């Protein structure tokens, strides 16, 4: 469906593009050639996010370039999950590498500093994993194809209430990160709206290794559920320590928990974690099966949500580049803004008028050491 639609759009784009072939960014064969920068969390404690993202991008790049309509060169930079390193990478990509657009950075915390800079420079930028409130609202050049916490967390909490008849919750969140703070705001608001009693609100910081004080307090209050807003590294350790202390209630997590690393680190302690995601790898869908098969063959493991979102993101970029007809920053921005009804492995996708995502989540639960659909 997508391919047929793309060919039509390419034909119409080429028709109006008489100058193709002479300048940079357009080849004589009609293919739009573009350098796309990537800012990814490839080293440090959250490196599994960036590994999945860059794997997904490279797989999509191979396929897209193989089709001959668009030729994308990926210029990949490591941000190590740090704001300053992400900003330096962005400046290099925009000013020295002269990229047409940027994919990333991985964290909302990074996008909060990189997004305004890209917007100021007129460089379209698309996060594939940035889920905090307000990311596309940074500016006209800022997009994301990741499911915002504002859609994901309420869906997870609803399922948990329905399944466990939950009435009392404890909340635990990282107070030094844009995403974990935003996830907390959404959790608190959703809990209040759904009439849940919030017994306590506890905080932690990045890299913390001991959660005894917070968890002892939570245990004494006997919640039915724990709402936790964390990246996988801290989130997995929290679950491990909670289970060791005898806290066996379900956890509801945000996007940071959507990584198999949670299970790799916490093992059985991750059982009972509820998360919402736009990606479910076991779906009976030809496109999903083909992607999962190819990914496993290439990288020796199953793709996670971060790989899937990145894969779709590059296809969305490619579609926009084709429609733009040239490797031009303003034309790419306008073409991105017009993407509607894109049919990828995450299902049907559109940007709303602010460059935010319109999509339905699936709620998953970890049972027996694996993510399963939570019905
Ligand atoms: C954000 C996130 C993280 C979990 C991405 C890895 O959702 O920072 O917005």
């Amino acid at each position: 469906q997508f391919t047929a639609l793309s060919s039509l759009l390419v034909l119409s784009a080429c028709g109006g593009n008489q100058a193709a072939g002479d300048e940079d960014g357009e080849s004589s064969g009609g293919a739009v050639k573009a350098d796309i920068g990537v800012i990814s969390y490839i080293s440090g404690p959250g490196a599994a996010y960036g590994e999945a993202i860059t794997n997904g991008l490279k797989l999509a790049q191979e396929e897209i370039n193989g089709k001959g309509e668009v030729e994308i060169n990926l210029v990949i930079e490591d941000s190590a999950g740090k704001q300053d390193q992400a900003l330096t990478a962005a400046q290099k990509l925009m000013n020295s590498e002269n990229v047409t657009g940027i994919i990333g950075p991985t964290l909302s915390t990074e996008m909060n500093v990189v997004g305004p800079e890209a917007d100021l420079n007129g460089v379209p930028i698309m996060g594939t994993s940035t889920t905090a409130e307000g990311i596309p609202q940074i500016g006209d050049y800022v997009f994301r194809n990741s499911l915002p916490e504002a859609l994901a967390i309420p869906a997870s909490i609803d399922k948990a209430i329905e399944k466990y008849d939950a009435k009392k919750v404890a909340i635990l969140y990282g107070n030094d990160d844009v995403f974990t703070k935003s996830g907390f705001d959404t959790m608190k608001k959703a809990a209040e709206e759904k009439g849940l009693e919030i017994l306590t609100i506890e905080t932690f910081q990045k890299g913390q290794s001991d959660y005894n004080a917070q968890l002892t307090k939570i245990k004494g209050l006997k919640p039915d559920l724990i709402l936790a807003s964390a990246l996988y590294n801290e989130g997995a350790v929290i679950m491990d320590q909670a289970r060791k202390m005898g806290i066996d209630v379900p956890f509801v997590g945000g996007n940071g928990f959507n990584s198999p690393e949670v299970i790799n680190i916490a093992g059985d302690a991750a059982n009972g974690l509820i998360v919402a995601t736009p990606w479910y790898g076991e779906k009976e869908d030809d496109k999903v099966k083909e992607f999962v098969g190819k990914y496993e063959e290439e990288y020796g493991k199953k793709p996670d949500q971060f790989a899937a979102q990145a894969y779709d993101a590059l296809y969305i970029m490619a579609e926009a580049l084709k429609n733009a007809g040239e490797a031009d920053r303003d034309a790419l921005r306008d073409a991105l803004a017009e993407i509607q009804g894109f049919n990828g492995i995450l299902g049907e996708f559109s940007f709303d008028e602010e460059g935010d995502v319109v999509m339905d989540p699936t709620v998953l639960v970890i049972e027996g050491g694996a993510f399963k659909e939570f019905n």
Side-chain angles (χ1 to χ4, degrees):
Q1 226 177 331
F2 166 53
T3 317
L5 177 68
S6 317
S7 321
L8 275 177
L9 291 166
V10 165
L11 281 176
S12 61
C14 287
N17 188 4
Q18 310 296 344
D22 301 329
E23 295 159 38
D24 256 9
E26 299 158 22
S27 78
S28 48
V32 179
K33 285 188 180 180
D35 289 335
I36 297 294
V38 177
I39 306 171
S40 198
Y41 190 169
I42 319 178
S43 66
Y49 293 129
E51 184 195 324
I53 289 168
T54 47
N55 284 349
L57 290 173
K58 286 178 192 161
L59 192 58
Q61 179 197 23
E62 245 173 64
E63 293 175 10
I64 291 163
N65 289 355
K67 288 177 189 162
E69 293 168 330
V70 175
E71 203 181 310
I72 293 176
N73 175 39
L74 294 175
V75 188
I76 300 176
E77 297 288 329
D78 180 20
S79 66
K82 296 186 175 137
Q83 285 185 329
D84 51 349
Q85 204 168 316
L87 188 58
T88 305
Q91 279 156 346
K92 180 179 169 203
L93 291 169
M94 293 187 294
N95 305 328
S96 316
E97 300 288 344
N98 216 11
V99 298
T100 304
I102 295 176
I103 288 186
T106 303
L107 303 178
S108 293
T109 280
E110 300 170 307
M111 186 61 113
N112 251 22
V113 298
V114 170
E117 193 71 9
D119 193 57
L120 202 69
N121 282 278
V123 178
I125 185 165
M126 177 159 61
T128 70
S129 56
T130 45
T131 61
E133 191 77 24
I135 297 292
Q137 290 76 10
I138 290 172
D140 287 350
Y141 287 78
V142 184
F143 299 84
R144 68 168 152 206
N145 77 323
S146 36
L147 187 72
E149 295 302 336
L151 292 177
I153 286 172
S156 298
I157 294 181
D158 277 343
K159 267 277 184 315
I161 293 175
E162 180 194 318
K163 191 88 170 181
Y164 303 113
D165 192 27
K167 297 195 163 55
K168 298 173 297 174
V169 299
I171 309 183
L172 181 56
Y173 78 100
N175 64 3
D176 57 351
D177 175 271
V178 169
F179 149 77
T180 55
K181 275 196 284 188
S182 176
F184 159 68
D185 291 338
T186 305
M187 284 171 175
K188 182 165 177 283
K189 186 164 167 254
E192 285 166 356
E193 279 172 10
K194 293 168 200 307
L196 295 170
E197 183 188 349
I198 300 172
L199 301 169
T200 185
I201 295 170
E202 300 294 318
T203 59
F204 63 87
Q205 286 82 43
K206 266 182 199 172
Q208 189 165 325
S209 54
D210 179 2
Y211 300 90
N212 188 54
Q214 293 92 331
L215 292 172
T216 301
K217 185 162 174 200
I218 289 173
K219 188 179 177 192
L221 293 167
K222 297 191 170 47
D224 302 322
L225 278 181
I226 297 172
L227 313 181
S229 185
L231 295 166
Y232 72 68
N233 213 40
E234 290 80 15
V237 174
I238 288 168
M239 288 198 76
D240 183 49
Q241 291 183 9
R243 300 308 187 218
K244 282 184 178 140
M245 286 173 64
I247 300 175
D248 56 6
V249 295
F251 274 68
V252 171
N255 190 51
F257 277 100
N258 280 347
S259 167
E261 278 304 292
V262 173
I263 300 168
N264 292 342
I265 296 168
D268 285 347
N271 290 336
L273 171 69
I274 300 156
V275 289
T277 172
W279 165 247
Y280 184 51
E282 310 295 323
K283 206 154 133 189
E284 284 300 318
D285 176 292
D286 287 347
K287 210 177 252 185
V288 168
K289 283 185 179 166
E290 198 191 323
F291 165 70
V292 171
K294 274 194 185 171
Y295 190 98
E296 271 190 290
E297 202 180 301
E298 193 115 351
Y299 304 111
K301 57 172 116 173
K302 283 192 185 300
D304 64 16
Q305 175 211 270
F306 296 96
Q309 283 176 322
Y311 177 88
D312 266 5
L314 199 66
Y315 267 97
I316 291 169
M317 271 283 179
E319 172 81 347
L321 280 166
K322 262 189 278 185
N323 297 348
E326 56 180 328
D328 174 81
R329 290 169 172 178
D330 291 326
L332 176 60
R333 191 230 80 94
D334 291 348
L336 275 173
E338 273 169 23
I339 294 281
Q340 288 290 325
F342 167 82
N343 196 7
I345 53 170
L346 299 176
E348 180 150 325
F349 174 90
S350 300
F351 288 117
D352 70 10
E353 63 285 351
E354 287 178 327
D356 214 339
V357 172
V358 188
M359 244 178 171
D360 276 335
T362 305
V363 181
L364 305 178
V365 63
I366 299 180
E367 266 173 19
F371 284 101
K372 311 231 160 87
E373 230 173 326
F374 193 35
N375 291 316

